[in-house]
Amino acid sequence: MKYLDQAFDSYEKKIKSDGMAFCIESGDGSYHWKRESGKMVNDRCYGIASVTKMYTASIILKLIDEGMLAMTDKIEKHLSSEIMERLPNYKGISASREITIHNLLAQTSGIPDYFTEALKGDLKKADQIPGQPDIMREEMLNWLVHQKLKFNPVKESRAHYSDMNYDLLGVIIENITKKSFEYNVEKYIIEPLQLHNTRVFFNDSKVDFPGVWSKGEILCPKNVLSSGPASGGIISTVQENIKFLKAFWNAQLFEANHLEHLKIYHHIQFIPLQYGVGHMRFKQIGIPEFIGHSGSSGTVCYYMPKEDLYITGTINECNEAKAIRMMFNLMNCCIRQRRKK
């Protein structure tokens, strides 16, 4: 595993955060590699950021299996009028009332993204908002009511990445089940997979995790984590996250017939990333396909079908592109190493 260790050591010298961790595993489990540094040693928990969206999507798919909702349901069926009335319109038409569960899952609703547009991706500014989901949701809705949809969601021909899509899915999960989002994560993911260090983060949680490097300083964005549980509020370890990733792509958490419908992709604003249902896709000429999710704090959680390899990790730095580049490098080293044997 010389090549992998050398690549990890090289990147470790360049990062500015409190530490990083990565784990690579083959589909059959015969190959396993893991490295940690700094405050990420000993299977330390970290905020998985937007990788959380895959967890939320898993719960929605399971609820569909249980007959509690359908992909084609209009979201107004499951949301209060107070929320619906503040969602944006499209060219004077109340297009938000046409948004479906599928639109939210596939990021084809046209809803603007509060974090990248209103806050300009400023993690420090976002963390100044009290870390309570209802307060953050009010902030977002008060901003959204003055915005317009990016496009007509009925056509589903375009996608625009927005945390709000998954924040709304979190509310829908709670409304349908009459239980908290945390309860649903426990029931549908943590218990079936027997995860011990994965949970929804709350501001008063007695969990310490490494800080995230952002714009010249290390932040510990507990308010950000706790304010958006369904879009980015889960903490985990690289080992448990890879266990979830395998379960997702092997349909252990929902019916297998969903898998073929997850892989219809549209480009999002973060080129060259595309979005399917509940996950991202990275595919360019000369680079094999990666499907999974990444997060703004430098988290990755992807499956490489061509090589049947899974990778999870974090650099704890607000540089998603840098984390993805490191993922590519580590996977290339892994493939090179395996082929030498």
Side-chain angles (χ1 to χ4, degrees):
M1 298 187 181
K2 178 181 68 174
Y3 300 121
L4 273 168
D5 289 332
Q6 287 177 346
F8 184 91
D9 292 339
S10 175
Y11 270 97
E12 201 275 330
K13 293 174 183 176
K14 299 173 184 176
I15 65 165
K16 300 174 181 178
S17 68
D18 282 341
M20 64 183 195
F22 281 87
C23 182
I24 300 175
E25 199 168 281
S26 59
D28 62 6
S30 62
Y31 180 89
H32 179 86
W33 173 86
K34 185 176 78 168
R35 279 287 305 274
E36 306 160 322
S37 73
K39 293 182 179 180
M40 285 299 298
V41 298
N42 300 321
D43 249 354
R44 191 81 174 274
C45 285
Y46 63 98
I48 66 174
S50 285
V51 174
T52 297
K53 293 178 175 66
M54 292 185 72
Y55 288 67
T56 302
S58 294
I59 296 171
I60 289 288
L61 294 174
K62 186 63 176 177
L63 293 178
I64 290 173
D65 294 338
E66 294 180 352
M68 300 183 77
L69 79 166
M71 279 282 192
T72 54
D73 281 357
K74 302 285 179 62
I75 62 172
E76 68 174 342
K77 179 180 178 181
H78 305 293
L79 292 172
S80 68
S81 58
E82 288 79 9
I83 289 179
M84 291 303 303
E85 287 168 2
R86 285 189 283 172
L87 293 181
N89 293 324
Y90 179 73
K91 294 184 177 180
I93 303 171
S94 297
S96 289
R97 298 195 177 278
E98 300 302 317
I99 295 173
T100 64
I101 296 296
H102 186 272
N103 285 137
L104 297 183
L105 285 168
Q107 303 278 10
T108 56
S109 70
I111 295 175
D113 183 48
Y114 180 77
F115 181 66
T116 58
E117 295 172 49
L119 299 179
K120 308 300 182 186
D122 190 327
L123 186 65
K124 188 173 184 178
K125 189 174 181 180
D127 203 50
Q128 292 171 356
I129 298 172
Q132 299 173 32
D134 55 343
I135 294 177
M136 174 58 89
R137 189 161 56 246
E138 281 297 306
E139 288 274 344
M140 295 169 77
L141 288 169
N142 288 337
W143 175 76
L144 281 172
V145 74
H146 301 292
Q147 308 304 308
K148 296 178 182 179
L149 292 180
K150 299 292 182 179
F151 45 78
N152 190 337
V154 175
K155 297 181 180 180
E156 286 209 56
S157 59
R158 297 173 59 188
H160 184 82
Y161 185 90
S162 174
D163 285 337
M164 191 61 178
N165 287 318
Y166 278 77
D167 290 320
L168 291 176
L169 285 171
V171 175
I172 289 170
I173 288 169
E174 294 186 335
N175 288 346
I176 287 174
T177 63
K178 309 300 182 186
K179 300 286 185 180
S180 68
F181 180 72
E182 179 190 22
Y183 173 89
N184 283 280
V185 172
E186 287 274 352
K187 178 180 179 179
Y188 292 114
I189 298 173
I190 293 174
E191 290 179 5
L193 297 181
Q194 297 183 18
L195 305 179
H196 304 290
N197 297 300
T198 300
R199 70 203 74 175
V200 176
F201 182 81
F202 292 102
N203 235 343
D204 56 357
S205 298
K206 295 180 179 179
V207 179
D208 186 28
F209 55 89
V212 175
W213 178 264
S214 176
K215 296 184 177 180
E217 60 182 316
I218 292 180
L219 305 173
C220 193
K222 292 186 176 183
N223 283 340
V224 173
L225 276 174
S226 58
S227 63
S231 62
I234 288 178
I235 61 173
S236 188
T237 65
V238 290
Q239 191 66 60
E240 290 199 352
N241 209 11
I242 218 164
K243 191 174 184 179
F244 164 79
L245 184 63
K246 282 187 165 186
F248 186 94
W249 288 119
N250 287 283
Q252 294 174 8
L253 298 169
F254 45 79
E255 296 295 329
N257 64 313
H258 288 298
L259 288 176
E260 61 180 294
H261 304 297
L262 303 185
K263 300 177 183 179
I264 298 173
Y265 300 102
H266 296 90
H267 286 284
I268 54 176
Q269 63 268 41
F270 309 126
I271 298 171
L273 290 171
Q274 300 172 319
Y275 216 89
V277 170
H279 72 284
M280 291 175 166
R281 179 196 195 208
F282 191 102
K283 192 175 190 306
Q284 282 187 304
I285 296 173
I287 299 176
E289 177 186 50
F290 284 79
I291 49 177
H293 223 292
S294 41
S296 60
S297 57
T299 59
V300 295
C301 181
Y302 282 94
Y303 174 48
M304 187 182 186
K306 183 179 179 181
E307 299 290 338
D308 194 25
L309 288 172
Y310 298 80
I311 182 169
T312 59
T314 181
I315 61 172
N316 286 311
E317 185 175 331
C318 284
N319 192 331
E320 192 170 347
K322 183 176 181 179
I324 290 174
R325 286 196 302 272
M326 182 168 181
M327 175 182 75
F328 289 156
N329 193 8
L330 290 173
M331 290 295 253
N332 283 333
C333 289
C334 177
I335 294 165
R336 180 183 172 192
Q337 205 159 271
R338 294 178 80 199
R339 288 176 179 170
K340 277 209 163 195
K341 289 185 178 180

